[in-house]
Amino acid sequence: KNQVEQSPQSLIILEGKNCTLQCNYTVSPFSNLRWYKQDTGRGPVSLTIMTFSENTKSNGRYTATLDADTKQSSLHITASQLSDSASYICVVSGRGGSQGNLIFGKGTKLSVKP
Amino acid sequence: DTGVSQNPRHKITKRGQNVTFRCDPISEHNRLYWYRQTLGQGPEFLTYFQNEAQLEKSRLLSDRFSAERPKGSFSTLEIQRTEQGDSAMYLCASSTSSTGNTGELFFGEGSRLTVL
């Protein structure tokens, strides 16, 4: 069964600290993996996409990694800001599949405290 | 580009009533998607359209749910005979064919349904 598991479920950190969110997936065949940020009461917004051949990609203070062999991805946030408080959702797309093959994780809820 | 617009943003209804949500996608996007999200969960796929054609429906979309996109622009999602289990955020997203194929969807802010 195609699944996306994220950990931790929730995380509280102090402003300025770094954190890493994890995503493990069993989706096969694999096409790509996206990290979305969802502010409370808002729709998700794409942060970054990782394809099969990519290992690391940065978008400002966000760095995503992908290990396609172990089917794991991480999202590292550097020097966190209060505005980083949100849910971060890992979404895996199956290759050649339908739109229903976008498998969403449950998300990690990050709270950044002053 | 005004983004994906959904309304109403909030709807409170009594069990058994019908509700309808509307989604206006980004104007040049030919694909439109409906998702449902409950607290602490990721979005669950309901259905999607390419232009006016409904190309896929999830098994989650029971016969009480119907979605339309009559002119290939805006879409409506109707829930008949609402049940308390229908309480959720209903998210609409849009994309072009190319961005959709890479999994990049542009989401609206959602319509939150509360069934009493």
Side-chain angles (χ1 to χ4, degrees):
Chain A
K1 181 180 178 183
N2 289 331
Q3 287 186 313
V4 174
E5 301 286 342
Q6 292 188 243
S7 62
Q9 186 175 5
S10 62
L11 182 62
I12 300 174
I13 63 173
L14 293 177
E15 186 179 12
K17 298 296 185 183
N18 303 336
C19 66
T20 300
L21 315 179
Q22 300 289 343
C23 174
N24 297 340
Y25 61 93
T26 59
V27 178
S28 182
F30 171 86
S31 177
N32 62 67
L33 182 150
R34 281 188 184 272
W35 283 93
Y36 278 82
K37 178 186 180 187
Q38 185 174 23
D39 292 321
T40 301
R42 309 291 292 270
V45 176
S46 177
L47 288 174
T48 187
I49 178 174
M50 303 294 291
T51 58
F52 187 86
S53 59
E54 295 175 310
N55 298 119
T56 303
K57 184 178 286 185
S58 291
N59 177 7
R61 296 180 295 104
Y62 300 103
T63 299
T65 66
L66 175 66
D67 185 332
D69 291 330
T70 62
K71 298 186 177 181
Q72 296 180 326
S73 176
S74 68
L75 181 68
H76 185 75
I77 304 175
T78 304
S80 61
Q81 300 176 357
L82 298 178
S83 59
D84 293 331
S85 295
S87 287
Y88 291 83
I89 302 173
C90 176
V91 183
V92 179
S93 179
R95 181 158 33 95
S98 66
Q99 294 306 306
N101 272 4
L102 290 179
I103 310 299
F104 285 73
K106 294 182 179 181
T108 292
K109 185 172 183 178
L110 174 66
S111 297
V112 180
K113 303 296 186 184
Chain B
D1 178 3
T2 58
V4 178
S5 175
Q6 292 188 246
N7 64 82
R9 292 292 312 280
H10 304 276
K11 178 72 176 178
I12 299 174
T13 190
K14 293 182 179 179
R15 185 163 49 95
Q17 298 295 304
N18 299 343
V19 297
T20 300
F21 301 113
R22 175 177 169 130
C23 172
D24 288 88
I26 294 171
S27 58
E28 64 268 27
H29 285 182
N30 61 340
R31 290 187 180 177
L32 185 148
Y33 313 77
W34 286 99
Y35 284 82
R36 180 172 67 188
Q37 186 176 28
T38 54
L39 198 63
Q41 304 293 314
E44 297 174 299
F45 172 76
L46 293 178
T47 188
Y48 100 98
F49 295 82
Q50 181 152 306
N51 301 313
E52 66 275 9
Q54 188 173 18
L55 295 188
E56 190 176 347
K57 293 169 61 173
S58 162
R59 284 189 292 265
L60 292 174
L61 210 67
S62 76
D63 55 7
R64 295 185 298 105
F65 288 69
S66 62
E68 294 183 343
R69 195 184 184 197
K71 297 181 181 178
S73 57
F74 73 92
S75 175
T76 58
L77 176 69
E78 180 183 18
I79 308 173
Q80 296 182 326
R81 306 180 303 282
T82 53
E83 302 172 356
Q84 288 184 325
D86 297 331
S87 295
M89 175 76 85
Y90 290 86
L91 291 166
C92 176
S94 69
S95 76
T96 63
S97 297
S98 57
T99 61
N101 288 341
T102 68
E104 184 175 20
L105 308 184
F106 296 82
F107 284 87
E109 297 195 343
S111 293
R112 180 166 296 283
L113 173 65
T114 301
V115 181
L116 301 176

